[in-house]
Amino acid sequence: MTTQKAKAQPKKTDMSGPILIRWRFYLIIFFVFCAFAALVGRIGYIQIIEPDNLIRQGDMRSVRAQTLHSARGIISDRNGEPLAVSVPVEAVWADPVAIYKAGGLVDIDRWYALADVLGIARESLVSKIEKNKSRRFIYLQRQVSPAMAKYIRELKLAGVGLKAESRRYYPAGEVSAHLIGVTGIDGHGLEGVERSYDKWLTGEAGKRIIRKDRYGRVVENISLEEREEGKPLELTIDQRLQAIAYRAIKQAVADFRATSGSAVLLDVKTGAVLAMVNAPSYNPNNRADLQSFKMRNRVITDAFEPGSTVKPFVVLAALEEGTADLDTVIDTGNGRMRTGGSWVRDTSKVGKADLTTILQKSSNIGVAKLALDMPLEALLGMYSSVGFGEMSGLNLVGETSGIFPNRRRWSKHEIATFSFGYGLTITPLQLAHAYATLGNFGEYQPIHIIDNNQQDLSRQVIGRDNAKSVLKMLETVTQPGGTATRAAVPGYRVAAKTGTSRKAVAGGYGDEYFAYTAGVAPASNPRVALVVVVNEPQGDNYYGGSVAGPVFSEIMKSALQILNVAPDENKTKSEEQN
């Protein structure tokens, strides 16, 4: 009975399971909803209200711009001979972050091999990488040769790469260095034609914008700006004449232990520059040789007092003004003339002399009297009309215009010395231009180094008959009895004038000299004008006729032969008049 009674009792309910507390559930749901709403709101803000920042951040990580460098234009001479060309080279760069991610400089022997091939001290290379651990790009070496680049690739150093670029090469080397100039490590011109026409030669670089993935693979080409190649430049220079002139000037500087020497050759008929050289020079292919005193183009940067080389223009001024004619005779006395409180002297007594003899014997007194007998404005006007005191227009860096006096009052002695080349300074190029104008029978032709099709800017500044008369007078200077006999060229009639002037120093004049010879040939119908300047020749032989004269003769002889100019020694007077 008891057992049956116990079985009949009902079972109790188990209340130990989880109990739902509604307010807690709703609170959690509320916070989840708020978080979701905040996330949706943030996404909406980023995607709709301010999407640019996210796009910018993504582009910073994936978009890359590649510069497409343009090839620099070739510079060539009038015959197409290359004077400056661009050759392919490579730059070596490093990513220090990538280097240390790959284990750093553990394999030190390979890094030492890299330093050795680049010509860098081993410790210097290691130190450079260690000091830039946080940077993503540094140059290790610029403009390495293809052979060096191949060796570096074979080293397979993590974080080291090669970048294509170009290097300027100058086939003419030191011969045309001052004129052509040189480019810097970034490929832009620093001196000479390379700098003056840098924009023309460089062209415009292009740009390619791409998108890369995390592994550096290109996944999208976004845009492409085509590059514009640099344009070629053809100069009026004849490299054959350039080489001959440089060799002669270099030898003269060595023979006379001179500080420097310069020569410039112009085409009389067109005003084209055929040669422009200086010594000492430098090798533009060797950057270790780039020293400022060697790189100066003295033909256009150095101004000097021209001395006796301006005397033909004093005679021209007198003929043009009418204060003298071909029959004029001037008494130079005993070789000394007092002007104001000073004296004018001749190196040798000339006595009574006509204009031809005054030029042939280079009489200071003769030209001084001519200058004093004419209005000063006539002499100043003659000097100015042939280009003294003016820029040449060649557009070369560093050119100077010299010093052209502009006084309100002139003493007689100042006018006298002004007539034989003291009191003004000109460049060798200006002097050559003046003689080219004389050789062109008084027609002023602007000089140039690049041919163009602009309008004719020539003008007649000297009477043709007077110019021809003075050219005949200058012929006697290179003949027996003249001061420039060593400037003569066998088979050709040469009209030239020598000069020797003391160098100006603080407070007066020093003991150093300029020696120069200027002239044109052939005298019957001049084709080329040449000026040779030797600065500070050493020893007792420092006169223009003996120092610069032989150099003038050597360069002029070769120039006339190369230009295929017929000898004029045996031409008749009737042929000359025609």
Side-chain angles (χ1 to χ4, degrees):
M1 289 289 291
T2 304
T3 305
Q4 292 179 352
K5 197 173 184 178
K7 289 180 179 180
Q9 290 180 356
K11 294 181 179 180
K12 292 182 180 180
T13 304
D14 187 4
M15 302 298 291
S16 62
I19 300 173
L20 176 65
I21 303 174
R22 291 182 176 276
W23 69 270
R24 289 183 179 179
F25 173 74
Y26 291 133
L27 183 64
I28 292 170
I29 292 297
F30 174 75
F31 280 119
V32 169
F33 176 78
C34 288
F36 179 75
L39 289 174
V40 171
R42 179 60 179 168
I43 292 171
Y45 177 80
I46 292 173
Q47 294 285 355
I48 300 171
I49 299 175
E50 195 184 47
D52 294 340
N53 182 54
L54 192 63
I55 295 171
R56 184 172 63 254
Q57 292 292 333
D59 288 346
M60 287 174 62
R61 290 164 173 79
S62 62
V63 175
R64 298 291 181 265
Q66 295 178 339
T67 301
L68 305 176
H69 296 286
S70 59
R72 194 169 177 84
I74 294 175
I75 301 176
S76 60
D77 77 345
R78 65 193 299 133
N79 300 313
E81 289 294 322
L83 302 177
V85 296
S86 293
V87 296
V89 291
E90 297 192 65
V92 184
W93 58 270
D95 180 350
V97 172
I99 291 172
Y100 281 96
K101 278 185 178 180
L105 308 175
V106 176
D107 192 353
I108 196 65
D109 289 337
R110 287 200 294 163
W111 288 100
Y112 284 166
L114 176 64
D116 292 341
V117 75
L118 295 179
I120 304 172
R122 293 179 174 184
E123 296 304 323
S124 177
L125 175 64
V126 172
S127 175
K128 185 174 184 178
I129 294 173
E130 288 177 343
K131 288 179 180 178
N132 295 280
K133 288 184 178 181
S134 61
R135 295 184 62 180
R136 298 307 306 261
F137 183 92
I138 57 171
Y139 277 118
L140 298 182
Q141 189 74 279
R142 301 287 300 274
Q143 298 185 350
V144 301
S145 67
M148 293 169 63
K150 181 181 179 182
Y151 180 83
I152 293 168
R153 284 192 184 93
E154 292 175 352
L155 287 174
K156 296 180 180 179
L157 290 166
V160 174
L162 291 148
K163 177 183 175 184
E165 56 183 12
S166 64
R167 179 178 181 177
R168 208 64 164 162
Y169 175 68
Y170 302 93
E174 63 180 18
V175 173
S176 299
H178 293 103
L179 179 63
I180 304 303
V182 67
T183 58
I185 195 72
D186 59 353
H188 288 284
L190 300 178
E191 295 287 341
V193 171
E194 289 278 29
R195 179 173 175 180
S196 298
Y197 296 91
D198 184 62
K199 190 172 182 181
W200 175 274
L201 293 164
T202 302
E204 293 291 338
K207 183 187 289 186
R208 181 188 177 204
I209 299 177
I210 58 175
R211 190 181 301 278
K212 291 185 176 183
D213 64 10
R214 60 178 297 185
Y215 300 107
R217 298 173 299 194
V218 177
V219 296
E220 181 185 3
N221 289 310
I222 299 174
S223 66
L224 175 64
E225 294 179 17
E226 293 290 345
R227 60 189 171 193
E228 182 182 341
E229 300 292 355
K231 303 178 184 67
L233 196 64
E234 183 175 296
L235 307 182
T236 60
I237 295 297
D238 190 318
Q239 186 57 26
R240 298 170 298 175
L241 302 179
Q242 189 85 354
I244 290 167
Y246 177 70
R247 182 182 61 197
I249 282 292
K250 185 178 181 180
Q251 189 62 49
V253 169
D255 290 344
F256 294 98
R257 305 189 308 281
T259 303
S260 64
S262 303
V264 56
L265 187 71
L266 302 181
D267 187 316
V268 165
K269 303 301 182 184
T270 66
V273 179
L274 299 177
M276 183 185 292
V277 298
N278 300 274
S281 186
Y282 65 97
N283 183 1
N285 298 310
N286 179 12
R287 296 196 176 276
D289 199 29
L290 303 186
Q291 298 170 295
S292 58
F293 78 96
K294 289 183 178 180
M295 297 174 69
R296 190 166 76 247
N297 187 353
R298 298 173 185 271
V299 171
I300 62 172
T301 63
D302 289 14
F304 58 90
E305 290 181 313
S308 297
T309 54
V310 300
K311 289 177 180 177
F313 302 101
V314 180
V315 174
L316 272 173
L319 293 174
E320 291 281 291
E321 188 65 20
T323 56
D325 55 37
L326 300 180
D327 298 323
T328 297
V329 175
I330 297 174
D331 187 2
T332 62
N334 62 355
R336 296 180 66 195
M337 180 180 76
R338 191 174 184 85
T339 54
S342 303
W343 292 89
V344 174
R345 296 178 175 84
D346 283 338
T347 54
S348 60
K349 295 181 181 180
V350 180
K352 293 183 179 180
D354 59 9
L355 299 183
T356 300
T357 306
I358 286 172
L359 287 182
Q360 184 185 36
K361 300 297 184 181
S362 195
S363 171
N364 292 338
I365 295 175
V367 293
K369 285 190 172 183
L370 286 174
L372 292 169
D373 287 345
M374 74 176 83
L376 178 60
E377 291 74 18
L379 182 58
L380 292 172
M382 176 57 66
Y383 283 0
S384 180
S385 67
V386 295
F388 295 165
E390 296 180 358
M391 300 293 279
S392 68
L394 289 184
N395 192 31
L396 293 177
V397 178
E399 181 177 0
T400 180
S401 61
I403 299 175
F404 195 84
N406 184 23
R407 304 190 189 97
R408 296 185 62 183
R409 294 182 179 180
W410 290 70
S411 68
K412 288 187 175 182
H413 186 69
E414 287 173 335
I415 296 174
T417 55
F418 191 61
S419 68
F420 48 88
Y422 288 91
L424 80 159
T425 63
I426 62 175
T427 63
L429 183 62
Q430 288 175 333
L431 185 58
H433 195 189
Y435 272 80
T437 301
L438 174 60
N440 203 23
F441 304 130
E443 184 177 342
Y444 181 94
Q445 190 76 252
I447 55 178
H448 58 275
I449 202 167
I450 297 174
D451 285 323
N452 53 56
N453 298 319
Q454 294 180 356
Q455 58 183 341
D456 184 9
L457 299 176
S458 62
R459 61 185 186 274
Q460 197 73 31
V461 297
I462 304 169
R464 289 181 63 87
D465 292 339
N466 288 333
K468 289 182 178 180
S469 298
V470 171
L471 283 173
K472 289 182 179 179
M473 296 177 194
L474 286 177
E475 278 190 68
T476 64
V477 180
T478 61
Q479 295 170 355
T483 59
T485 55
R486 299 187 67 180
V489 178
Y492 294 91
R493 292 163 51 192
V494 178
K497 187 74 185 73
T498 62
T500 309
S501 67
R502 297 175 69 180
K503 296 192 71 171
V505 296
Y509 291 90
D511 296 327
E512 300 291 348
Y513 291 85
F514 281 110
Y516 24 75
T517 299
V520 297
S524 58
N525 186 20
R527 280 286 309 280
V528 291
L530 173 63
V531 167
V532 173
V533 180
V534 179
N535 179 20
E536 297 183 3
Q538 301 301 305
D540 297 331
N541 190 4
Y542 53 81
Y543 293 102
S546 55
V547 174
V551 184
F552 178 96
S553 176
E554 181 181 349
I555 297 174
M556 183 64 80
K557 177 183 176 181
S558 298
L560 294 172
Q561 291 174 349
I562 288 174
L563 296 174
N564 201 27
V565 177
D568 63 353
E569 190 177 57
N570 299 319
K571 286 191 175 182
T572 64
K573 291 183 179 180
S574 60
E575 287 176 323
E576 293 176 26
Q577 293 173 354
N578 294 334

PDB file of all heavy atoms in Angstrom, residues 331-332 334-340 342-346 364-369 372 412-413 416 420:
ATOM      1  N   ASP A 331     102.994 114.305 -90.070  1.00  0.00           N
ATOM      2  CA  ASP A 331     104.354 114.399 -89.544  1.00  0.00           C
ATOM      3  C   ASP A 331     104.372 113.867 -88.107  1.00  0.00           C
ATOM      4  O   ASP A 331     103.790 114.469 -87.206  1.00  0.00           O
ATOM      5  CB  ASP A 331     104.818 115.854 -89.577  1.00  0.00           C
ATOM      6  CG  ASP A 331     106.289 115.995 -89.203  1.00  0.00           C
ATOM      7  OD1 ASP A 331     106.948 114.950 -88.950  1.00  0.00           O
ATOM      8  OD2 ASP A 331     106.785 117.141 -89.148  1.00  0.00           O
ATOM      9  N   THR A 332     105.015 112.749 -87.911  1.00  0.00           N
ATOM     10  CA  THR A 332     105.098 112.155 -86.569  1.00  0.00           C
ATOM     11  C   THR A 332     106.339 112.612 -85.811  1.00  0.00           C
ATOM     12  O   THR A 332     106.601 112.137 -84.698  1.00  0.00           O
ATOM     13  CB  THR A 332     105.102 110.618 -86.663  1.00  0.00           C
ATOM     14  OG1 THR A 332     106.259 110.186 -87.386  1.00  0.00           O
ATOM     15  CG2 THR A 332     103.857 110.123 -87.380  1.00  0.00           C
ATOM     16  N   ASN A 334     109.895 113.186 -84.244  1.00  0.00           N
ATOM     17  CA  ASN A 334     110.985 112.307 -83.837  1.00  0.00           C
ATOM     18  C   ASN A 334     110.508 111.097 -83.025  1.00  0.00           C
ATOM     19  O   ASN A 334     111.293 110.447 -82.331  1.00  0.00           O
ATOM     20  CB  ASN A 334     112.015 113.100 -83.020  1.00  0.00           C
ATOM     21  CG  ASN A 334     111.410 113.669 -81.747  1.00  0.00           C
ATOM     22  OD1 ASN A 334     110.211 113.549 -81.510  1.00  0.00           O
ATOM     23  ND2 ASN A 334     112.250 114.300 -80.922  1.00  0.00           N
ATOM     24  N   GLY A 335     109.202 110.800 -83.100  1.00  0.00           N
ATOM     25  CA  GLY A 335     108.665 109.641 -82.390  1.00  0.00           C
ATOM     26  C   GLY A 335     108.134 109.949 -81.019  1.00  0.00           C
ATOM     27  O   GLY A 335     107.768 109.041 -80.276  1.00  0.00           O
ATOM     28  N   ARG A 336     108.055 111.245 -80.654  1.00  0.00           N
ATOM     29  CA  ARG A 336     107.501 111.650 -79.365  1.00  0.00           C
ATOM     30  C   ARG A 336     106.583 112.848 -79.584  1.00  0.00           C
ATOM     31  O   ARG A 336     106.898 113.762 -80.347  1.00  0.00           O
ATOM     32  CB  ARG A 336     108.600 112.039 -78.375  1.00  0.00           C
ATOM     33  CG  ARG A 336     109.537 110.890 -78.007  1.00  0.00           C
ATOM     34  CD  ARG A 336     110.596 111.360 -77.029  1.00  0.00           C
ATOM     35  NE  ARG A 336     110.023 111.740 -75.751  1.00  0.00           N
ATOM     36  CZ  ARG A 336     110.680 112.458 -74.827  1.00  0.00           C
ATOM     37  NH1 ARG A 336     111.910 112.881 -75.070  1.00  0.00           N
ATOM     38  NH2 ARG A 336     110.106 112.747 -73.684  1.00  0.00           N
ATOM     39  N   MET A 337     105.420 112.818 -78.926  1.00  0.00           N
ATOM     40  CA  MET A 337     104.481 113.931 -79.035  1.00  0.00           C
ATOM     41  C   MET A 337     103.861 114.181 -77.668  1.00  0.00           C
ATOM     42  O   MET A 337     103.392 113.254 -77.013  1.00  0.00           O
ATOM     43  CB  MET A 337     103.377 113.605 -80.064  1.00  0.00           C
ATOM     44  CG  MET A 337     102.354 114.723 -80.230  1.00  0.00           C
ATOM     45  SD  MET A 337     101.053 114.339 -81.430  1.00  0.00           S
ATOM     46  CE  MET A 337     100.067 113.194 -80.451  1.00  0.00           C
ATOM     47  N   ARG A 338     103.878 115.451 -77.263  1.00  0.00           N
ATOM     48  CA  ARG A 338     103.321 115.815 -75.957  1.00  0.00           C
ATOM     49  C   ARG A 338     101.841 116.162 -76.104  1.00  0.00           C
ATOM     50  O   ARG A 338     101.464 116.972 -76.954  1.00  0.00           O
ATOM     51  CB  ARG A 338     104.080 117.000 -75.360  1.00  0.00           C
ATOM     52  CG  ARG A 338     103.738 117.279 -73.900  1.00  0.00           C
ATOM     53  CD  ARG A 338     104.641 118.384 -73.345  1.00  0.00           C
ATOM     54  NE  ARG A 338     104.396 118.592 -71.921  1.00  0.00           N
ATOM     55  CZ  ARG A 338     104.956 117.894 -70.941  1.00  0.00           C
ATOM     56  NH1 ARG A 338     105.819 116.937 -71.250  1.00  0.00           N
ATOM     57  NH2 ARG A 338     104.678 118.153 -69.680  1.00  0.00           N
ATOM     58  N   THR A 339     101.004 115.500 -75.318  1.00  0.00           N
ATOM     59  CA  THR A 339      99.569 115.820 -75.292  1.00  0.00           C
ATOM     60  C   THR A 339      99.196 116.102 -73.847  1.00  0.00           C
ATOM     61  O   THR A 339      99.194 115.195 -73.004  1.00  0.00           O
ATOM     62  CB  THR A 339      98.719 114.645 -75.819  1.00  0.00           C
ATOM     63  OG1 THR A 339      99.041 113.464 -75.092  1.00  0.00           O
ATOM     64  CG2 THR A 339      98.983 114.406 -77.290  1.00  0.00           C
ATOM     65  N   GLY A 340      98.859 117.360 -73.560  1.00  0.00           N
ATOM     66  CA  GLY A 340      98.590 117.748 -72.180  1.00  0.00           C
ATOM     67  C   GLY A 340      99.851 117.606 -71.355  1.00  0.00           C
ATOM     68  O   GLY A 340     100.922 118.103 -71.717  1.00  0.00           O
ATOM     69  N   SER A 342     101.285 114.644 -70.712  1.00  0.00           N
ATOM     70  CA  SER A 342     101.861 113.319 -70.934  1.00  0.00           C
ATOM     71  C   SER A 342     102.402 113.206 -72.345  1.00  0.00           C
ATOM     72  O   SER A 342     102.195 114.079 -73.196  1.00  0.00           O
ATOM     73  CB  SER A 342     100.789 112.233 -70.697  1.00  0.00           C
ATOM     74  OG  SER A 342     100.241 112.322 -69.403  1.00  0.00           O
ATOM     75  N   TRP A 343     103.100 112.107 -72.578  1.00  0.00           N
ATOM     76  CA  TRP A 343     103.736 111.889 -73.874  1.00  0.00           C
ATOM     77  C   TRP A 343     103.118 110.683 -74.591  1.00  0.00           C
ATOM     78  O   TRP A 343     102.698 109.713 -73.966  1.00  0.00           O
ATOM     79  CB  TRP A 343     105.233 111.618 -73.700  1.00  0.00           C
ATOM     80  CG  TRP A 343     106.003 112.812 -73.211  1.00  0.00           C
ATOM     81  CD1 TRP A 343     106.244 113.176 -71.932  1.00  0.00           C
ATOM     82  CD2 TRP A 343     106.619 113.797 -74.034  1.00  0.00           C
ATOM     83  NE1 TRP A 343     106.983 114.334 -71.869  1.00  0.00           N
ATOM     84  CE2 TRP A 343     107.232 114.738 -73.157  1.00  0.00           C
ATOM     85  CE3 TRP A 343     106.743 113.992 -75.413  1.00  0.00           C
ATOM     86  CZ2 TRP A 343     107.927 115.848 -73.619  1.00  0.00           C
ATOM     87  CZ3 TRP A 343     107.442 115.103 -75.876  1.00  0.00           C
ATOM     88  CH2 TRP A 343     108.020 116.019 -74.988  1.00  0.00           C
ATOM     89  N   VAL A 344     103.078 110.795 -75.925  1.00  0.00           N
ATOM     90  CA  VAL A 344     102.716 109.682 -76.797  1.00  0.00           C
ATOM     91  C   VAL A 344     103.967 109.322 -77.575  1.00  0.00           C
ATOM     92  O   VAL A 344     104.620 110.193 -78.156  1.00  0.00           O
ATOM     93  CB  VAL A 344     101.566 110.043 -77.760  1.00  0.00           C
ATOM     94  CG1 VAL A 344     101.314 108.909 -78.747  1.00  0.00           C
ATOM     95  CG2 VAL A 344     100.295 110.354 -76.967  1.00  0.00           C
ATOM     96  N   ARG A 345     104.320 108.030 -77.594  1.00  0.00           N
ATOM     97  CA  ARG A 345     105.560 107.607 -78.228  1.00  0.00           C
ATOM     98  C   ARG A 345     105.316 106.531 -79.276  1.00  0.00           C
ATOM     99  O   ARG A 345     104.389 105.728 -79.156  1.00  0.00           O
ATOM    100  CB  ARG A 345     106.535 107.061 -77.177  1.00  0.00           C
ATOM    101  CG  ARG A 345     107.007 108.083 -76.161  1.00  0.00           C
ATOM    102  CD  ARG A 345     107.937 107.451 -75.133  1.00  0.00           C
ATOM    103  NE  ARG A 345     108.501 108.425 -74.211  1.00  0.00           N
ATOM    104  CZ  ARG A 345     107.888 108.864 -73.126  1.00  0.00           C
ATOM    105  NH1 ARG A 345     106.685 108.396 -72.812  1.00  0.00           N
ATOM    106  NH2 ARG A 345     108.467 109.767 -72.340  1.00  0.00           N
ATOM    107  N   ASP A 346     106.179 106.510 -80.274  1.00  0.00           N
ATOM    108  CA  ASP A 346     106.223 105.425 -81.255  1.00  0.00           C
ATOM    109  C   ASP A 346     107.400 104.520 -80.930  1.00  0.00           C
ATOM    110  O   ASP A 346     108.430 104.984 -80.413  1.00  0.00           O
ATOM    111  CB  ASP A 346     106.385 105.975 -82.680  1.00  0.00           C
ATOM    112  CG  ASP A 346     105.088 106.541 -83.226  1.00  0.00           C
ATOM    113  OD1 ASP A 346     104.017 106.161 -82.720  1.00  0.00           O
ATOM    114  OD2 ASP A 346     105.132 107.375 -84.164  1.00  0.00           O
ATOM    115  N   ASN A 364     101.654 105.255 -83.202  1.00  0.00           N
ATOM    116  CA  ASN A 364     100.727 105.798 -82.217  1.00  0.00           C
ATOM    117  C   ASN A 364     100.486 107.284 -82.446  1.00  0.00           C
ATOM    118  O   ASN A 364      99.364 107.772 -82.312  1.00  0.00           O
ATOM    119  CB  ASN A 364     101.272 105.591 -80.800  1.00  0.00           C
ATOM    120  CG  ASN A 364     101.299 104.130 -80.391  1.00  0.00           C
ATOM    121  OD1 ASN A 364     100.580 103.300 -80.950  1.00  0.00           O
ATOM    122  ND2 ASN A 364     102.149 103.807 -79.423  1.00  0.00           N
ATOM    123  N   ILE A 365     101.546 107.998 -82.771  1.00  0.00           N
ATOM    124  CA  ILE A 365     101.429 109.434 -82.985  1.00  0.00           C
ATOM    125  C   ILE A 365     100.550 109.722 -84.199  1.00  0.00           C
ATOM    126  O   ILE A 365      99.719 110.648 -84.185  1.00  0.00           O
ATOM    127  CB  ILE A 365     102.829 110.068 -83.159  1.00  0.00           C
ATOM    128  CG1 ILE A 365     103.632 109.923 -81.862  1.00  0.00           C
ATOM    129  CG2 ILE A 365     102.716 111.540 -83.555  1.00  0.00           C
ATOM    130  CD1 ILE A 365     105.068 110.397 -81.969  1.00  0.00           C
ATOM    131  N   GLY A 366     100.715 108.935 -85.261  1.00  0.00           N
ATOM    132  CA  GLY A 366      99.928 109.148 -86.479  1.00  0.00           C
ATOM    133  C   GLY A 366      98.435 109.029 -86.223  1.00  0.00           C
ATOM    134  O   GLY A 366      97.652 109.911 -86.603  1.00  0.00           O
ATOM    135  N   VAL A 367      98.007 107.940 -85.560  1.00  0.00           N
ATOM    136  CA  VAL A 367      96.567 107.783 -85.317  1.00  0.00           C
ATOM    137  C   VAL A 367      96.084 108.763 -84.251  1.00  0.00           C
ATOM    138  O   VAL A 367      94.924 109.184 -84.280  1.00  0.00           O
ATOM    139  CB  VAL A 367      96.225 106.336 -84.920  1.00  0.00           C
ATOM    140  CG1 VAL A 367      96.451 105.384 -86.073  1.00  0.00           C
ATOM    141  CG2 VAL A 367      96.985 105.896 -83.684  1.00  0.00           C
ATOM    142  N   ALA A 368      96.958 109.151 -83.317  1.00  0.00           N
ATOM    143  CA  ALA A 368      96.562 110.126 -82.303  1.00  0.00           C
ATOM    144  C   ALA A 368      96.243 111.465 -82.958  1.00  0.00           C
ATOM    145  O   ALA A 368      95.254 112.125 -82.610  1.00  0.00           O
ATOM    146  CB  ALA A 368      97.663 110.282 -81.266  1.00  0.00           C
ATOM    147  N   LYS A 369      97.070 111.873 -83.927  1.00  0.00           N
ATOM    148  CA  LYS A 369      96.811 113.126 -84.627  1.00  0.00           C
ATOM    149  C   LYS A 369      95.537 113.052 -85.460  1.00  0.00           C
ATOM    150  O   LYS A 369      94.773 114.019 -85.537  1.00  0.00           O
ATOM    151  CB  LYS A 369      98.005 113.489 -85.514  1.00  0.00           C
ATOM    152  CG  LYS A 369      99.207 114.014 -84.741  1.00  0.00           C
ATOM    153  CD  LYS A 369     100.266 114.592 -85.670  1.00  0.00           C
ATOM    154  CE  LYS A 369     101.378 115.282 -84.879  1.00  0.00           C
ATOM    155  NZ  LYS A 369     102.388 115.910 -85.751  1.00  0.00           N
ATOM    156  N   LEU A 372      92.687 113.444 -82.960  1.00  0.00           N
ATOM    157  CA  LEU A 372      92.565 114.807 -82.433  1.00  0.00           C
ATOM    158  C   LEU A 372      92.050 115.784 -83.484  1.00  0.00           C
ATOM    159  O   LEU A 372      91.489 116.837 -83.138  1.00  0.00           O
ATOM    160  CB  LEU A 372      93.916 115.268 -81.889  1.00  0.00           C
ATOM    161  CG  LEU A 372      94.409 114.545 -80.620  1.00  0.00           C
ATOM    162  CD1 LEU A 372      95.864 114.897 -80.327  1.00  0.00           C
ATOM    163  CD2 LEU A 372      93.518 114.895 -79.429  1.00  0.00           C
ATOM    164  N   LYS A 412      92.960 115.739 -74.089  1.00  0.00           N
ATOM    165  CA  LYS A 412      93.615 115.383 -75.352  1.00  0.00           C
ATOM    166  C   LYS A 412      94.391 114.076 -75.225  1.00  0.00           C
ATOM    167  O   LYS A 412      94.431 113.275 -76.171  1.00  0.00           O
ATOM    168  CB  LYS A 412      94.558 116.517 -75.797  1.00  0.00           C
ATOM    169  CG  LYS A 412      93.838 117.754 -76.308  1.00  0.00           C
ATOM    170  CD  LYS A 412      94.821 118.763 -76.896  1.00  0.00           C
ATOM    171  CE  LYS A 412      94.090 119.943 -77.511  1.00  0.00           C
ATOM    172  NZ  LYS A 412      95.035 120.913 -78.130  1.00  0.00           N
ATOM    173  N   HIS A 413      94.990 113.866 -74.094  1.00  0.00           N
ATOM    174  CA  HIS A 413      95.750 112.633 -73.912  1.00  0.00           C
ATOM    175  C   HIS A 413      94.822 111.420 -73.876  1.00  0.00           C
ATOM    176  O   HIS A 413      95.169 110.355 -74.412  1.00  0.00           O
ATOM    177  CB  HIS A 413      96.565 112.700 -72.615  1.00  0.00           C
ATOM    178  CG  HIS A 413      97.475 111.520 -72.433  1.00  0.00           C
ATOM    179  ND1 HIS A 413      98.586 111.309 -73.229  1.00  0.00           N
ATOM    180  CD2 HIS A 413      97.424 110.475 -71.555  1.00  0.00           C
ATOM    181  CE1 HIS A 413      99.194 110.196 -72.849  1.00  0.00           C
ATOM    182  NE2 HIS A 413      98.505 109.672 -71.839  1.00  0.00           N
ATOM    183  N   ALA A 416      93.936 110.702 -77.403  1.00  0.00           N
ATOM    184  CA  ALA A 416      95.090 110.142 -78.109  1.00  0.00           C
ATOM    185  C   ALA A 416      95.257 108.660 -77.777  1.00  0.00           C
ATOM    186  O   ALA A 416      95.401 107.820 -78.673  1.00  0.00           O
ATOM    187  CB  ALA A 416      96.354 110.928 -77.742  1.00  0.00           C
ATOM    188  N   PHE A 420      94.630 104.488 -79.963  1.00  0.00           N
ATOM    189  CA  PHE A 420      95.418 103.264 -80.145  1.00  0.00           C
ATOM    190  C   PHE A 420      95.121 102.223 -79.068  1.00  0.00           C
ATOM    191  O   PHE A 420      95.965 101.478 -78.608  1.00  0.00           O
ATOM    192  CB  PHE A 420      96.931 103.528 -80.265  1.00  0.00           C
ATOM    193  CG  PHE A 420      97.532 104.441 -79.230  1.00  0.00           C
ATOM    194  CD1 PHE A 420      97.992 103.956 -78.022  1.00  0.00           C
ATOM    195  CD2 PHE A 420      97.690 105.796 -79.493  1.00  0.00           C
ATOM    196  CE1 PHE A 420      98.568 104.792 -77.088  1.00  0.00           C
ATOM    197  CE2 PHE A 420      98.281 106.643 -78.570  1.00  0.00           C
ATOM    198  CZ  PHE A 420      98.715 106.139 -77.359  1.00  0.00           C
TER     199      PHE A 420
END
